[in-house]
Amino acid sequence: MNKDKRESIIALVQREVVPAIGCTEPAAVSLCVAKATELLGGLPEKISVGLSGNMLKNAMGVGIPGTGMIGLPIAVALGALIGRSAYGLEVLRDVSPEAVESGRKYIAEGRIEISLVPDSSSNLYIDVVASAGAHSAHTVISGLHTNFVHASLDGVSRLDEAPTGCDDAGAPAPADDDVALDMATVWEFATESPFSEISFILKARDLNKAASEVGMQGKYGHGLGKIVSERGVFYFGAGHLANMISATSAACDARMGGATVPVMSNSGSGNQGITATMPVVSFAEDIGASEETLARALMLSHLTSIYIKQNLGRLSALCGCVVASTGASAALVYLMRGGYDEVCSAVKNMVANLTGMICDGAKPSCSMKISSGVGTAMMSAILAMEGRCVSQAEGIVCDDVDRTIHNLTSIGKDAMSATDRHVLHIMTHK
């Protein structure tokens, strides 16, 4: 692979694999509110937030870092009170107990209004109007979690762009310098690029492992990672799989439980970044893999996830752990010293198993879905290493791995759209 192509892929990975504090959906809402507040020049008296269905679904039940509170109202309040748009998805980095108390008061005063935008231009859509006296600021994020397409003060535009660069499901369209990915390209880049060019991916290990350690130490979410590590050994047995499940779910416990700890996200999802990282890190440590081998495995995992999400979209009815654990399974094959054929087999095995797992929002129980993905990733990798692969005669799997991935994403993006609407209806009418 030539240097120009490698540089384009590196730029893509560096855009898609970035740090985030807390769930990326409420963080993006806080970001949009923070930008509107900055334009307004003072604390808003009233904030109106309109959200697409997928944004609403993914932000309703998740803990907001450093607050001990769940959901959108506190994310909106803190975005106005202490949010800084310059921080991106770490917008609430400066949260404090005093800020949380002010946020509680702000909510109690009835200053926040949140509504569904049923016909938004993207599955990832945030529309904020912040007002004080006779002045109002309007900001819109669309397509990507940090992609502002509109900003205005008192009707005077400061930024006004059509939400280009994204498809209707919020998937980023390739920029001019992007490379159209396929599994062969992903494999070649991850396994043959100079180590010095891809070693930056080890930062994902550092951040997500630290988040996992926080989850092991505290009481976050359902505590699945800690329970598997301590009591689950009796049932799972001590070994690679139990280690992978506990390490991965603990990071999710911390993130969904509101720990103020950054994680390395993938394609706008912290849980997806955790799932693409921690099973690989845990298994690599267990087998004593070198730094370079780990870096190549992590790059294979993350870039596979990016490739699938390019076709699926940012937010969909399909749980992101399906995507990320597919990347992790490919990386496990690499760590087992498998080749490209075995990686393709693992991907097909994953598609045959997990396709159809619904996303019913970001929440503490995501750690359970992630754990299912981790277990399936290991099973699929072992089968692949034994020369076993789901055949074209079975279900939606094809001989061609890229066509198999397309079948997965077409189901998640198109066929499950009615499922997505029904899930949101259930969630908002309980």
Side-chain angles (χ1 to χ4, degrees), residues 47 57 128-129 154 166 168 175 180 232 235 246 296 324 343 368 411:
I47 302 174
K57 178 181 72 174
V128 172
V129 176
D154 295 333
C166 303
D168 289 339
Y235 301 98
S246 62
R296 294 190 185 281
V343 163
M368 298 169 70
I411 288 171

Side-chain angles (χ1 to χ4, degrees), residues 5-280:
K5 190 173 183 180
R6 294 200 310 271
E7 288 178 348
S8 294
I9 295 175
I10 289 168
L12 172 64
V13 174
Q14 289 177 333
R15 285 197 302 274
E16 298 289 8
V17 182
V18 296
I21 293 178
C23 179
T24 48
E25 277 69 58
V29 173
S30 295
L31 175 63
C32 203
V33 170
K35 185 70 171 179
T37 302
E38 290 163 2
L39 284 172
L40 192 63
L43 186 66
E45 295 169 0
K46 191 82 174 177
I47 302 174
S48 297
V49 181
L51 300 172
S52 59
N54 289 78
M55 285 297 299
L56 193 62
K57 178 181 72 174
N58 277 352
M60 287 174 59
V62 68
I64 307 303
T67 69
M69 299 175 68
I70 289 173
L72 282 165
I74 190 62
V76 172
L78 290 177
L81 290 163
I82 54 95
R84 292 188 60 183
S85 64
Y87 290 166
L89 292 179
E90 296 181 275
V91 57
L92 300 184
R93 185 191 302 172
D94 297 332
V95 67
S96 65
E98 294 76 20
V100 173
E101 187 56 38
S102 296
R104 290 179 187 273
K105 181 179 178 182
Y106 196 89
I107 295 167
E109 291 170 349
R111 296 175 181 268
I112 298 170
E113 178 182 282
I114 299 169
S115 62
L116 172 67
V117 181
D119 299 316
S120 57
S121 60
S122 167
N123 281 353
L124 198 167
Y125 185 83
I126 309 165
D127 188 304
V128 172
V129 176
S131 58
H135 302 286
S136 68
H138 183 201
T139 53
V140 178
I141 286 175
S142 181
L144 308 176
H145 290 78
T146 59
N147 185 45
F148 283 95
V149 298
H150 177 82
S152 62
L153 177 63
D154 295 333
V156 179
S157 178
R158 303 292 181 89
L159 170 69
D160 204 352
E161 298 179 0
T164 55
C166 303
D167 65 18
D168 289 339
D176 292 340
D177 61 343
D178 280 352
V179 174
L181 295 175
D182 53 37
M183 275 309 301
T185 299
V186 169
W187 169 261
E188 181 183 0
F189 177 81
T191 60
E192 297 183 12
S193 296
F195 174 50
S196 60
E197 293 182 4
I198 65 170
S199 60
F200 69 88
I201 199 68
L202 292 170
K203 183 67 174 176
R205 171 199 58 188
D206 298 339
L207 287 183
N208 292 342
K209 186 176 179 180
S212 179
E213 290 169 352
V214 169
M216 290 288 193
Q217 295 164 5
K219 295 182 179 180
Y220 297 102
H222 297 294
L224 178 60
K226 192 173 184 179
I227 290 169
V228 170
S229 176
E230 295 176 354
R231 297 181 59 189
V233 172
F234 177 80
Y235 301 98
F236 281 95
H240 300 318
L241 182 58
N243 293 342
M244 290 161 60
I245 289 174
S246 62
T248 308
S249 56
C252 179
D253 289 333
R255 177 174 179 264
M256 294 289 96
T260 309
V261 57
V263 301
M264 191 67 83
S265 66
N266 181 299
S267 303
S269 167
N271 280 349
Q272 189 167 296
I274 288 168
T275 309
T277 302
M278 287 312 300
V280 184

